[in-house]
């Protein structure tokens, strides 16, 4: 009888061991594996009866041979390799097999008393330590990095844990199904944010798939009043009207200028206790909430008391003014124990936003002039930054433009945007000076090797004519996100920031891509500002974070500690500092002189410029080199 040397351990798409599925024993010698001996809830005819043969030595060393017609995928170390019929490959302890690309995942696990398991583990640990050391050494010699900082990029998101009362201070990444658990630390899914006793829900988005949304978020089915503000085409709207629940209202805002869209992505959830405001970057479709790098911010605000009904705030003014541009049909609701209300923009004045930890940066379509020029788009960002003072480190420091769609740009407009993004004063009251933009954009290879393969490119919809412009070449920088585990999860998130080393002067999470339609363009000798689309984002500024938050929640019983309350009453205000996860040091989190706000910026800082071999992705070109699923682009 052959001696057992290991197992194939079934995994789910989070690469966690499947609790109910049995392991497949692997013995010394050839082990045929196929449809007949793989336990599945329902048979998969893509699996051959003899799908592959795994031949193992007495020590656990093994190689595999693909016997069936369909390919398999071998994940070994950081490499993902597709194997076609009759191809062979060695397999080591800890490697992961996809018996059908993207499906039926198994980890090869050698018994602990075999030499192969010890050797493989040692090799991987040595390799991991070496890559960490190389990364640290390389980072120490890059501009903007402090050698004394000892920044570690390796899986930094593992340590990203947010106390409940600190959630308003930061943003979080959305979960990605196919990533390991460590990469989803403190990340959220849609049912994490839409929960509890919601009385009214307003969902703002571009694309809406009700067939996915309702099963993915069952709490929505119980909300008595739902308004969906969308940007769907007329054909899709007809389908939505037929498939929506009877109590849901659909509304597409007016688009006064051609080629505009309603692109804002937000949720406004009214509770008996207050309102939850959520600003995010994902369309309400499956792939956006499961397969891509996305971001989300939320904060809960209480109802105003009777004595404060007339008191406003900058956040409130920005919110109500933006909502007024959407012109949705007002509707009446009766909220238990609260009374009758008309759901219109002025309704949102009934909540106390005085503790808002961000400022809203919105875009509203139209030709804006006079004081309205500073209310929208990049001119709103410019006006806010001009009021702020930043550390000396940010003088002439670089800018990051990171997004998922590139408009038709010219150098004049890029200079206009850079002027807005570079606004602000240093501590000596002189301007920070222009920063050099870096555009983080996936290469063709990034898309080809992503967890979706070329299919991910359909959500990075920029044509070759926009991407090929010669003046853009100096800006290109790589999408690299190892510290958050998202190098292969293509970005649909949109972020703009100014940084020095691992510190951030400010950080913007937004729906706005890099386009004139989204950000606006000055016209008529700077007396008119033209915007085509609706957009919404949240700006993190250290000056907003100094006072702290009362930690109010609509769904949890969060109360501020007595020590914190007393400190605020005494006027003890610490200096706030925005820090990327890779620059977060343990001693900083307990600093007595500063409030450290860690932001899970998904890409590495500073980003690496493109090499001469890198080609920026454009979705209307043909790519004949097959992706990880064996497909070319466009798919036929």
């Amino acid at each position: 009888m052959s001696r057992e040397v290991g197992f194939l351990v079934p995994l789910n798409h989070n690469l966690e061991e499947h609790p109910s599925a049995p392991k497949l024993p692997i013995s010394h010698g050839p082990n045929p594996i196929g449809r007949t001996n793989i336990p599945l809830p329902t048979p998969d005819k893509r699996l051959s009866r003899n799908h592959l043969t795994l031949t193992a030595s007495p020590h656990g060393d093994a190689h595999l041979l693909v016997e069936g017609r369909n390919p398999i995928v071998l994940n070994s170390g950081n490499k993902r390799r597709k194997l076609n019929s009759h191809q062979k490959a060695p397999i080591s302890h800890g490697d992961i097999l996809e018996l059908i690309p993207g499906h039926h995942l198994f980890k090869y696990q050698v018994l602990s008393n075999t030499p192969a398991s010890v050797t493989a583990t040692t090799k991987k640990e040595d390799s991991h330590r070496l890559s960490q050391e190389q990364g640290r050494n390389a980072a120490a010699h890059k501009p903007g990095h402090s050698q004394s900082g000892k920044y570690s990029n390796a899986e930094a998101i593992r340590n990203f844990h947010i106390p409940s009362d600190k959630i308003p201070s930061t943003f979080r990444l959305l979960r990605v199904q196919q990533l390991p658990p460590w990469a989803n630390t403190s990340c959220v899914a849609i049912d994490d944010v839409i929960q509890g006793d919601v009385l009214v829900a307003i969902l703002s988005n571009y694309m809406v798939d009700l067939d996915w949304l309702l099963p993915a978020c069952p709490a929505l089915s119980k909300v008595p009043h739902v308004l969906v503000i969308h940007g769907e085409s007329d054909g899709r709207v007809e389908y939505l009207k037929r498939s929506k629940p009877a109590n849901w209202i659909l509304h597409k805002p007016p688009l006064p200028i051609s080629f505009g869209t309603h692109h804002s992505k937000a949720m406004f959830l009214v509770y008996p206790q207050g309102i939850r405001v959520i600003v995010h970057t994902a369309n309400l479709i499956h792939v956006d909430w499961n397969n891509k790098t996305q971001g989300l911010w939320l904060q809960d605000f209480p109802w105003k008391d009777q004595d404060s009904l007339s008191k406003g705030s900058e956040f409130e003014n920005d919110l109500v003014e933006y909502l007024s541009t959407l012109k949705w049909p007002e509707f009446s609701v009766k909220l238990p124990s609260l009374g009758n209300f008309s759901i219109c923009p002025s309704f949102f004045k009934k909540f106390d936003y005085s503790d808002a930890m961000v400022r809203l940066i919105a875009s509203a379509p139209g030709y804006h002039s006079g004081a309205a020029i500073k209310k929208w788009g990049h001119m709103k960002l410019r006006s806010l930054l001009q009021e702020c003072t930043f550390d000396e480190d940010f003088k002439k420091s670089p800018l990051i433009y990171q997004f998922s769609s590139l408009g038709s740009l010219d150098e004049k407009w890029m200079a206009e945007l850079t002027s807005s993004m570079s606004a602000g004063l240093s501590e000596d009251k002189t301007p920070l000076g222009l920063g050099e933009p870096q555009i983080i954009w996936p290469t063709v290879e990034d898309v080809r090797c992503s967890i979706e393969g070329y299919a991910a490119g359909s959500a990075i919809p920029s044509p070759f004519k926009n991407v090929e412009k010669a003046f853009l070449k100096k800006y290109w920088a790589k999408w690299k996100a190892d510290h958050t585990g998202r190098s292969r999860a293509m970005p649909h998130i949109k972020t703009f920031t100014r940084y020095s080393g691992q510190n951030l002067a400010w950080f913007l999470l937004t729906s706005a891509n890099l386009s004139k339609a989204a950000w606006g363009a000055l016209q008529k000798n700077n007396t008119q500002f033209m915007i085509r689309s609706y957009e919404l984002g949240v700006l993190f500024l250290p000056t907003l974070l100094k006072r702290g938050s009362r930690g109010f929640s609509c769904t949890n019983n969060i109360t501020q500690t007595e020590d914190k309350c007393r400190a605020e009453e005494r006027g003890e205000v610490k200096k706030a500092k925005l820090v990327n996860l890779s620059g977060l040091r343990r001693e900083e989190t307990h600093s007595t002189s500063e409030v450290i706000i860690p932001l899970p910026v998904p890409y590495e800082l500073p980003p690496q410029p493109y090499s001469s071999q890198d080609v920026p992705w454009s979705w209307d070109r043909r790519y004949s080199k097959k992706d990880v699923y064996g497909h070319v682009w466009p798919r036929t």
Side-chain angles (χ1 to χ4, degrees):
M1 186 175 180
S2 297
R3 183 168 70 87
E4 200 169 88
V5 296
F7 297 95
L8 283 181
V9 180
L11 307 176
N12 61 23
H13 279 288
N14 289 328
L15 302 185
E16 299 163 333
E17 185 172 340
H18 205 293
S20 58
K23 299 177 182 178
L24 297 180
I26 300 298
S27 302
H28 167 219
N31 296 263
I33 296 165
R35 192 192 313 163
T36 54
N37 63 338
I38 297 173
L40 296 173
T42 55
D44 188 338
K45 292 186 178 179
R46 294 175 298 174
L47 293 169
S48 306
R49 285 186 170 82
N50 187 14
H51 199 64
L52 63 90
T53 298
L54 196 155
T55 304
S57 75
H59 303 297
D61 297 321
H63 65 267
L64 58 86
L65 169 66
V66 181
E67 307 273 13
R69 290 180 297 176
N70 287 322
I72 69 169
V73 172
L74 174 64
N75 296 273
S76 181
N78 292 322
K79 293 184 179 179
R80 190 169 185 269
R81 178 184 173 193
K82 189 184 75 167
L83 300 171
N84 294 312
S85 184
H86 304 302
Q87 284 190 302
K88 294 181 179 180
I91 182 170
S92 303
H93 175 74
D95 289 351
I96 294 174
L97 285 174
E98 301 172 27
L99 301 189
I100 296 293
H103 302 276
H104 312 312
L105 279 61
F106 289 83
K107 179 170 68 176
Y108 182 47
Q109 189 176 77
V110 178
L111 293 177
S112 58
N113 58 353
T114 60
S117 67
V118 177
T119 304
T121 302
T122 303
K123 282 182 179 178
K124 287 184 178 180
E125 287 175 350
D126 289 345
S127 174
H128 185 59
R129 280 196 295 268
L130 179 61
S131 66
Q132 281 184 279
E133 192 62 37
Q134 289 172 335
R136 282 194 292 268
N137 291 340
H141 293 90
K142 287 181 181 178
H145 276 73
S146 165
Q147 293 190 37
S148 62
K150 299 181 180 177
Y151 300 133
S152 174
N153 287 333
E155 301 181 1
I157 200 171
R158 283 183 185 273
N159 301 314
F160 181 51
H161 301 286
I162 317 167
S164 296
D165 65 333
K166 292 290 191 296
I167 286 173
S169 306
T170 185
F171 80 101
R172 284 184 285 178
L173 302 175
L174 301 194
R175 288 182 196 152
V176 179
Q177 272 189 347
Q178 297 186 44
L179 298 187
W182 67 264
N184 284 319
T185 304
S186 289
C187 299
V188 293
I190 192 166
D191 54 356
D192 293 321
V193 292
I194 303 179
Q195 56 176 229
D197 186 15
V198 181
L199 304 176
V200 179
I202 297 179
L203 308 179
S204 169
N205 220 294
Y206 175 49
M207 299 172 65
V208 182
D209 179 5
L210 294 180
D211 295 333
W212 166 78
L213 178 60
L214 289 167
C217 191
L220 272 177
S221 300
K222 300 174 184 177
V223 180
H225 308 280
V226 179
L227 169 64
V228 178
I229 303 170
H230 64 87
E232 291 280 15
S233 63
D234 292 343
R236 279 285 302 162
V237 171
E238 290 305 312
Y239 177 77
L240 289 173
K241 286 179 179 177
R242 294 194 302 269
S243 57
K244 74 176 182 66
N247 63 319
W248 286 34
I249 300 170
L250 301 178
H251 174 65
K252 185 173 182 176
L255 293 166
I257 304 178
S258 58
F259 305 112
T261 58
H262 176 264
H263 199 244
S264 303
K265 296 168 178 65
M267 304 176 189
F268 306 95
L269 310 179
V270 179
Y271 291 85
Q273 299 89 345
I275 189 170
R276 173 168 293 178
V277 180
I278 303 156
V279 176
H280 61 99
T281 62
N283 286 291
L284 292 174
I285 60 177
H286 175 270
V287 292
D288 272 22
W289 284 84
N290 291 281
N291 296 337
K292 303 185 186 302
T293 300
Q294 304 273 21
L296 175 148
W297 164 87
L298 69 83
Q299 186 170 353
D300 292 356
F301 304 97
W303 292 83
K304 288 179 180 175
D305 57 41
Q306 290 299 314
D307 298 332
S308 305
L309 289 177
S310 61
K311 291 182 181 177
S313 66
E314 293 169 324
F315 184 95
E316 177 184 300
N317 295 338
D318 291 343
L319 176 62
V320 173
E321 190 158 26
Y322 168 73
L323 295 178
S324 298
T325 69
L326 300 175
K327 303 195 183 312
W328 72 71
E330 297 180 17
F331 56 98
S332 298
V333 299
K334 183 176 182 180
L335 305 183
S337 304
L338 295 168
N340 298 315
F341 298 93
S342 176
I343 303 301
C344 59
S346 62
F347 168 77
F348 293 85
K349 294 181 178 180
K350 299 183 182 299
F351 304 96
D352 181 0
Y353 305 102
S354 58
D355 272 337
M357 304 297 279
V358 296
R359 287 296 301 267
L360 294 177
I361 305 290
S363 292
Y367 296 97
H368 307 289
S369 59
I373 286 179
K374 294 185 176 182
K375 290 182 178 180
W376 310 110
H378 76 73
M379 292 302 292
K380 173 69 169 185
L381 178 63
R382 180 186 297 192
S383 67
L384 290 180
L385 295 180
Q386 284 174 336
E387 298 170 359
C388 296
T389 301
F390 300 96
D391 289 345
E392 297 288 315
D393 291 348
F394 297 111
K395 275 192 170 182
K396 296 186 178 180
S397 65
L399 304 163
I400 295 289
Y401 301 170
Q402 181 274 310
F403 47 91
S404 63
S405 181
L406 181 71
S408 179
L409 308 181
D410 55 67
E411 293 185 78
K412 178 178 177 293
W413 183 81
M414 281 289 283
E416 179 182 309
L417 182 70
T418 299
S419 180
S420 289
M421 297 271 175
S422 300
L425 299 174
S426 62
E427 290 172 331
D428 62 4
K429 302 306 178 186
T430 60
L432 286 180
L434 292 177
E436 182 68 25
Q438 297 169 289
I439 294 177
I440 295 181
W441 184 258
T443 65
V444 174
E445 275 297 286
D446 289 333
V447 176
R448 188 183 73 82
C449 298
S450 71
I451 58 177
E452 299 174 89
Y454 283 131
S458 62
I460 311 172
S462 290
F464 180 66
K465 68 181 179 64
N466 290 356
V467 173
E468 69 168 348
K469 293 182 177 178
F471 81 90
L472 290 173
K473 288 184 178 179
K474 62 180 176 288
Y475 299 126
W476 294 128
K478 294 187 179 184
W479 170 259
K480 186 169 169 52
D482 290 349
H483 69 295
T484 57
R486 282 164 170 73
S487 287
R488 293 183 58 241
M490 289 298 94
H492 190 264
I493 191 174
K494 291 93 172 156
T495 60
F496 296 80
T497 189
R498 186 165 204 169
Y499 73 96
S500 174
Q502 300 299 314
N503 297 328
L504 311 175
W506 51 266
F507 183 83
L508 179 68
L509 176 74
T510 179
S511 63
N513 286 300
L514 193 65
S515 71
K516 297 178 185 179
W519 281 103
L522 289 167
Q523 300 175 333
K524 297 184 177 180
N525 198 25
N526 298 343
T527 62
Q528 180 173 283
F529 193 46
M530 187 273 286
I531 299 177
R532 296 183 188 273
S533 298
Y534 296 92
E535 307 285 357
L536 190 62
V538 287
L539 175 66
F540 294 87
L541 287 167
T543 50
L544 292 172
L545 305 171
K546 288 180 182 179
R547 66 179 179 273
S549 166
R550 287 179 294 182
F552 172 78
S553 172
C554 291
T555 55
N556 296 317
N557 293 320
I558 298 173
T559 55
Q560 202 174 28
T561 63
E562 289 185 16
D563 288 345
K564 186 173 180 181
C565 289
R566 282 197 293 267
E568 288 190 357
E569 287 170 5
R570 291 193 300 266
E572 294 178 9
V573 178
K574 296 181 180 180
K575 183 178 180 180
K577 186 176 178 183
L578 301 176
V579 180
N580 178 27
L581 293 184
S582 295
L584 190 65
R585 294 167 289 202
R586 289 190 180 277
E587 63 270 22
E588 285 180 326
T589 60
H590 304 292
S591 170
T592 57
S593 60
E594 294 178 320
V595 177
I596 304 298
I597 304 297
L599 297 180
V601 179
Y603 42 84
E604 73 168 28
L605 292 176
Q608 298 176 16
Y610 273 27
S611 71
S612 57
Q613 287 77 40
D614 289 320
V615 177
W617 169 261
S618 52
W619 76 333
D620 58 350
R621 297 185 69 184
R622 302 187 73 85
Y623 304 107
S624 57
K625 187 176 181 181
K626 292 182 177 179
D627 68 10
V628 291
Y629 298 107
H631 300 141
V632 296
W633 182 266
R635 293 187 61 177
T636 55

